[in-house]
Amino acid sequence: MIDLIGKAAMLEMLAEESAELTHAALKLARKYRGENPTPKSEMECIDSLTEETADVLLILDQLSSIISDERVRAIKAQKLVRWKIRMGGD
Ligand SMILES: [Mg+2]
């Protein structure tokens, strides 16, 4: 797909889909908090979050020529360790 639409357009799609994922995450958090009611059910919120997650992952797959899977895995591992330390874990 990236060969058809180009890297810039794919990055724009990533930004759009990331914004939709952000929106879905905030909606589900709002549902869980129950402080600011939403007409959506919890299952609808989870479905939206799942769909937007798939959209973002699909675009990231298309950006494999720019984003190194190996480097992403290494950064994730480093950040997980840092996060656990900050949370008082081992
Ligand atoms: Mg989407």
Side-chain angles (χ1 to χ4, degrees):
M1 291 300 294
I2 201 164
D3 294 335
L4 295 174
I5 68 171
K7 292 176 183 174
M10 196 62 75
L11 289 166
E12 290 160 355
M13 288 181 68
L14 176 61
E16 290 175 15
E17 295 300 345
S18 296
E20 290 174 9
L21 178 59
T22 298
H23 181 261
L26 289 171
K27 182 73 82 176
L28 182 56
R30 185 173 149 193
K31 191 72 185 176
Y32 286 151
R33 287 193 183 282
E35 298 164 351
N36 183 13
T38 168
K40 281 185 137 188
S41 69
E42 180 181 350
M43 202 60 238
E44 289 173 321
C45 292
I46 290 171
D47 284 347
S48 293
L49 184 66
T50 302
E51 180 178 341
E52 299 309 338
T53 297
D55 288 346
V56 167
L57 291 174
L58 177 63
I59 301 299
L60 288 173
D61 285 347
Q62 300 301 311
L63 288 166
S64 62
S65 63
I66 296 174
I67 302 168
S68 160
D69 281 350
E70 186 178 330
R71 187 76 184 112
V72 167
R73 276 194 296 276
I75 292 169
K76 282 172 65 179
Q78 292 168 1
K79 292 199 174 195
L80 182 58
V81 168
R82 189 177 67 187
W83 190 11
K84 285 179 178 177
I85 290 170
R86 285 181 178 165
M87 298 302 288
D90 46 25

